mmCIF file of all heavy atoms in Angstrom:
data_model
loop_
_atom_site.group_PDB
_atom_site.id
_atom_site.type_symbol
_atom_site.label_atom_id
_atom_site.label_comp_id
_atom_site.label_asym_id
_atom_site.label_seq_id
_atom_site.Cartn_x
_atom_site.Cartn_y
_atom_site.Cartn_z
ATOM 1 N N LEU W 1 89.804 40.429 74.443
ATOM 2 C CA LEU W 1 88.712 41.323 74.811
ATOM 3 C C LEU W 1 89.311 42.688 75.133
ATOM 4 O O LEU W 1 90.293 42.793 75.861
ATOM 5 C CB LEU W 1 87.963 40.790 76.034
ATOM 6 C CG LEU W 1 86.980 41.751 76.711
ATOM 7 C CD1 LEU W 1 85.784 41.994 75.815
ATOM 8 C CD2 LEU W 1 86.531 41.202 78.066
ATOM 9 N N ILE W 2 88.707 43.745 74.582
ATOM 10 C CA ILE W 2 89.149 45.111 74.872
ATOM 11 C C ILE W 2 87.929 45.925 75.281
ATOM 12 O O ILE W 2 86.901 45.917 74.592
ATOM 13 C CB ILE W 2 89.823 45.767 73.651
ATOM 14 C CG1 ILE W 2 91.097 45.006 73.269
ATOM 15 C CG2 ILE W 2 90.164 47.227 73.946
ATOM 16 C CD1 ILE W 2 91.759 45.539 72.029
ATOM 17 N N ARG W 3 88.065 46.641 76.402
ATOM 18 C CA ARG W 3 87.010 47.533 76.870
ATOM 19 C C ARG W 3 87.584 48.940 76.981
ATOM 20 O O ARG W 3 88.731 49.112 77.379
ATOM 21 C CB ARG W 3 86.463 47.089 78.217
ATOM 22 C CG ARG W 3 85.640 45.813 78.150
ATOM 23 C CD ARG W 3 85.138 45.414 79.508
ATOM 24 N NE ARG W 3 84.307 44.224 79.447
ATOM 25 C CZ ARG W 3 83.854 43.559 80.512
ATOM 26 N NH1 ARG W 3 84.168 43.976 81.726
ATOM 27 N NH2 ARG W 3 83.098 42.478 80.354
ATOM 28 N N TYR W 4 86.764 49.931 76.677
ATOM 29 C CA TYR W 4 87.238 51.307 76.710
ATOM 30 C C TYR W 4 86.075 52.227 77.096
ATOM 31 O O TYR W 4 84.895 51.863 76.990
ATOM 32 C CB TYR W 4 87.809 51.729 75.351
ATOM 33 C CG TYR W 4 86.858 51.517 74.200
ATOM 34 C CD1 TYR W 4 85.961 52.497 73.806
ATOM 35 C CD2 TYR W 4 86.850 50.304 73.496
ATOM 36 C CE1 TYR W 4 85.090 52.290 72.755
ATOM 37 C CE2 TYR W 4 85.975 50.089 72.443
ATOM 38 C CZ TYR W 4 85.094 51.086 72.081
ATOM 39 O OH TYR W 4 84.223 50.880 71.041
ATOM 40 N N GLY W 5 86.429 53.409 77.564
ATOM 41 C CA GLY W 5 85.393 54.363 77.944
ATOM 42 C C GLY W 5 85.980 55.743 78.189
ATOM 43 O O GLY W 5 87.149 55.884 78.549
ATOM 44 N N VAL W 6 85.174 56.749 77.984
ATOM 45 C CA VAL W 6 85.550 58.128 78.272
ATOM 46 C C VAL W 6 84.289 58.871 78.720
ATOM 47 O O VAL W 6 83.189 58.601 78.220
ATOM 48 C CB VAL W 6 86.201 58.804 77.045
ATOM 49 C CG1 VAL W 6 85.209 58.895 75.890
ATOM 50 C CG2 VAL W 6 86.725 60.185 77.402
ATOM 51 N N ARG W 7 84.465 59.773 79.696
ATOM 52 C CA ARG W 7 83.293 60.424 80.275
ATOM 53 C C ARG W 7 83.631 61.859 80.668
ATOM 54 O O ARG W 7 84.727 62.152 81.130
ATOM 55 C CB ARG W 7 82.837 59.657 81.521
ATOM 56 C CG ARG W 7 81.703 60.327 82.289
ATOM 57 C CD ARG W 7 81.225 59.440 83.395
ATOM 58 N NE ARG W 7 80.149 60.068 84.167
ATOM 59 C CZ ARG W 7 79.371 59.417 85.020
ATOM 60 N NH1 ARG W 7 79.536 58.115 85.214
ATOM 61 N NH2 ARG W 7 78.433 60.051 85.685
ATOM 62 N N ASP W 8 82.648 62.737 80.485
ATOM 63 C CA ASP W 8 82.746 64.112 80.974
ATOM 64 C C ASP W 8 81.393 64.494 81.554
ATOM 65 O O ASP W 8 80.351 64.215 80.956
ATOM 66 C CB ASP W 8 83.133 65.083 79.856
ATOM 67 C CG ASP W 8 83.278 66.508 80.365
ATOM 68 O OD1 ASP W 8 83.655 66.664 81.543
ATOM 69 O OD2 ASP W 8 83.023 67.457 79.613
ATOM 70 N N ASP W 9 81.394 65.117 82.747
ATOM 71 C CA ASP W 9 80.154 65.433 83.442
ATOM 72 C C ASP W 9 79.812 66.918 83.443
ATOM 73 O O ASP W 9 78.953 67.345 84.210
ATOM 74 C CB ASP W 9 80.225 64.943 84.897
ATOM 75 C CG ASP W 9 80.200 63.427 84.987
ATOM 76 O OD1 ASP W 9 79.434 62.812 84.232
ATOM 77 O OD2 ASP W 9 80.961 62.872 85.793
ATOM 78 N N ASN W 10 80.482 67.697 82.581
ATOM 79 C CA ASN W 10 80.161 69.125 82.585
ATOM 80 C C ASN W 10 80.411 69.741 81.210
ATOM 81 O O ASN W 10 81.177 70.688 81.073
ATOM 82 C CB ASN W 10 80.975 69.854 83.657
ATOM 83 C CG ASN W 10 80.498 71.276 83.868
ATOM 84 O OD1 ASN W 10 79.404 71.655 83.453
ATOM 85 N ND2 ASN W 10 81.330 72.079 84.505
ATOM 86 N N LEU W 11 79.759 69.213 80.222
ATOM 87 C CA LEU W 11 79.892 69.787 78.891
ATOM 88 C C LEU W 11 79.101 71.089 78.795
ATOM 89 O O LEU W 11 78.030 71.235 79.407
ATOM 90 C CB LEU W 11 79.397 68.806 77.835
ATOM 91 C CG LEU W 11 80.313 67.603 77.555
ATOM 92 C CD1 LEU W 11 79.608 66.611 76.655
ATOM 93 C CD2 LEU W 11 81.622 68.065 76.925
ATOM 94 N N PHE W 12 79.635 72.035 78.036
ATOM 95 C CA PHE W 12 78.991 73.327 77.752
ATOM 96 C C PHE W 12 78.741 74.145 79.018
ATOM 97 O O PHE W 12 77.925 75.068 79.007
ATOM 98 C CB PHE W 12 77.680 73.130 76.986
ATOM 99 C CG PHE W 12 77.807 72.233 75.804
ATOM 100 C CD1 PHE W 12 77.103 71.039 75.739
ATOM 101 C CD2 PHE W 12 78.652 72.558 74.749
ATOM 102 C CE1 PHE W 12 77.216 70.203 74.639
ATOM 103 C CE2 PHE W 12 78.767 71.726 73.649
ATOM 104 C CZ PHE W 12 78.056 70.546 73.589
ATOM 105 N N GLY W 13 79.428 73.808 80.111
ATOM 106 C CA GLY W 13 79.238 74.540 81.353
ATOM 107 C C GLY W 13 77.852 74.393 81.946
ATOM 108 O O GLY W 13 77.466 75.138 82.842
ATOM 109 N N ARG W 14 77.096 73.404 81.462
ATOM 110 C CA ARG W 14 75.695 73.233 81.856
ATOM 111 C C ARG W 14 75.483 71.961 82.681
ATOM 112 O O ARG W 14 74.396 71.672 83.121
ATOM 113 C CB ARG W 14 74.844 73.199 80.582
ATOM 114 C CG ARG W 14 73.397 72.767 80.694
ATOM 115 C CD ARG W 14 72.598 73.658 81.644
ATOM 116 N NE ARG W 14 71.204 73.256 81.694
ATOM 117 C CZ ARG W 14 70.737 72.243 82.410
ATOM 118 N NH1 ARG W 14 71.556 71.517 83.162
ATOM 119 N NH2 ARG W 14 69.444 71.936 82.413
ATOM 120 N N GLY W 15 76.570 71.210 82.907
ATOM 121 C CA GLY W 15 76.438 69.966 83.650
ATOM 122 C C GLY W 15 75.989 68.799 82.806
ATOM 123 O O GLY W 15 75.603 67.758 83.348
ATOM 124 N N LEU W 16 76.034 68.945 81.471
ATOM 125 C CA LEU W 16 75.668 67.845 80.589
ATOM 126 C C LEU W 16 76.689 66.726 80.732
ATOM 127 O O LEU W 16 77.893 66.928 80.543
ATOM 128 C CB LEU W 16 75.605 68.317 79.143
ATOM 129 C CG LEU W 16 75.360 67.221 78.088
ATOM 130 C CD1 LEU W 16 74.003 66.553 78.298
ATOM 131 C CD2 LEU W 16 75.470 67.797 76.683
ATOM 132 N N SER W 17 76.215 65.537 81.060
ATOM 133 C CA SER W 17 77.082 64.378 81.240
ATOM 134 C C SER W 17 77.013 63.501 79.993
ATOM 135 O O SER W 17 75.927 63.118 79.542
ATOM 136 C CB SER W 17 76.655 63.571 82.474
ATOM 137 O OG SER W 17 77.439 62.395 82.599
ATOM 138 N N LEU W 18 78.203 63.195 79.436
ATOM 139 C CA LEU W 18 78.288 62.346 78.249
ATOM 140 C C LEU W 18 79.252 61.209 78.563
ATOM 141 O O LEU W 18 80.405 61.440 78.946
ATOM 142 C CB LEU W 18 78.788 63.151 77.053
ATOM 143 C CG LEU W 18 78.413 62.621 75.659
ATOM 144 C CD1 LEU W 18 76.899 62.593 75.489
ATOM 145 C CD2 LEU W 18 79.054 63.474 74.578
ATOM 146 N N ASN W 19 78.784 59.980 78.406
ATOM 147 C CA ASN W 19 79.560 58.809 78.808
ATOM 148 C C ASN W 19 79.591 57.824 77.635
ATOM 149 O O ASN W 19 78.559 57.266 77.252
ATOM 150 C CB ASN W 19 78.918 58.162 80.035
ATOM 151 C CG ASN W 19 79.764 57.036 80.602
ATOM 152 O OD1 ASN W 19 80.847 56.739 80.092
ATOM 153 N ND2 ASN W 19 79.277 56.396 81.649
ATOM 154 N N LEU W 20 80.767 57.634 77.052
ATOM 155 C CA LEU W 20 80.957 56.693 75.938
ATOM 156 C C LEU W 20 81.657 55.452 76.459
ATOM 157 O O LEU W 20 82.735 55.534 77.065
ATOM 158 C CB LEU W 20 81.788 57.338 74.832
ATOM 159 C CG LEU W 20 82.176 56.426 73.653
ATOM 160 C CD1 LEU W 20 80.924 56.019 72.868
ATOM 161 C CD2 LEU W 20 83.187 57.117 72.746
ATOM 162 N N ARG W 21 81.043 54.288 76.213
ATOM 163 C CA ARG W 21 81.630 53.018 76.653
ATOM 164 C C ARG W 21 81.540 52.021 75.511
ATOM 165 O O ARG W 21 80.562 52.005 74.757
ATOM 166 C CB ARG W 21 80.914 52.468 77.888
ATOM 167 C CG ARG W 21 80.865 53.442 79.044
ATOM 168 C CD ARG W 21 80.139 52.863 80.230
ATOM 169 N NE ARG W 21 80.865 51.744 80.812
ATOM 170 C CZ ARG W 21 81.826 51.880 81.721
ATOM 171 N NH1 ARG W 21 82.162 53.085 82.147
ATOM 172 N NH2 ARG W 21 82.440 50.825 82.216
ATOM 173 N N GLY W 22 82.561 51.211 75.380
ATOM 174 C CA GLY W 22 82.571 50.243 74.290
ATOM 175 C C GLY W 22 83.302 48.967 74.666
ATOM 176 O O GLY W 22 84.089 48.921 75.621
ATOM 177 N N GLN W 23 83.017 47.924 73.877
ATOM 178 C CA GLN W 23 83.673 46.632 74.084
ATOM 179 C C GLN W 23 83.882 45.962 72.724
ATOM 180 O O GLN W 23 82.953 45.910 71.903
ATOM 181 C CB GLN W 23 82.822 45.742 75.000
ATOM 182 C CG GLN W 23 83.361 44.329 75.163
ATOM 183 C CD GLN W 23 82.520 43.508 76.114
ATOM 184 O OE1 GLN W 23 82.386 43.843 77.278
ATOM 185 N NE2 GLN W 23 81.925 42.422 75.605
ATOM 186 N N TRP W 24 85.108 45.487 72.514
ATOM 187 C CA TRP W 24 85.412 44.734 71.281
ATOM 188 C C TRP W 24 85.866 43.351 71.670
ATOM 189 O O TRP W 24 86.701 43.161 72.559
ATOM 190 C CB TRP W 24 86.513 45.439 70.495
ATOM 191 C CG TRP W 24 86.943 44.642 69.287
ATOM 192 C CD1 TRP W 24 86.411 44.688 68.048
ATOM 193 C CD2 TRP W 24 87.984 43.658 69.251
ATOM 194 N NE1 TRP W 24 87.036 43.805 67.213
ATOM 195 C CE2 TRP W 24 88.022 43.142 67.929
ATOM 196 C CE3 TRP W 24 88.873 43.148 70.192
ATOM 197 C CZ2 TRP W 24 88.911 42.144 67.540
ATOM 198 C CZ3 TRP W 24 89.762 42.155 69.814
ATOM 199 C CH2 TRP W 24 89.785 41.671 68.496
ATOM 200 N N GLN W 25 85.283 42.357 70.972
ATOM 201 C CA GLN W 25 85.667 40.972 71.176
ATOM 202 C C GLN W 25 85.467 40.237 69.863
ATOM 203 O O GLN W 25 84.807 40.740 68.947
ATOM 204 C CB GLN W 25 84.801 40.347 72.288
ATOM 205 C CG GLN W 25 85.364 39.070 72.866
ATOM 206 C CD GLN W 25 84.602 38.636 74.121
ATOM 207 O OE1 GLN W 25 83.555 39.160 74.437
ATOM 208 N NE2 GLN W 25 85.152 37.653 74.827
#
């Protein structure tokens, strides 16, 4: 099982939050 994720809470200087999460099994 592999889990991964990456997140940023301030894209474009506007506070846009983008959260990518994934799981492979």
Side-chain angles (χ1 to χ4, degrees):
L1 168 69
I2 297 176
R3 289 179 178 172
Y4 54 90
V6 63
R7 174 174 179 166
D8 182 31
D9 290 319
N10 190 16
L11 287 171
F12 311 117
R14 168 59 178 80
L16 174 63
S17 176
L18 204 61
N19 187 1
L20 175 66
R21 305 179 67 86
Q23 174 178 299
W24 175 88
Q25 197 170 11

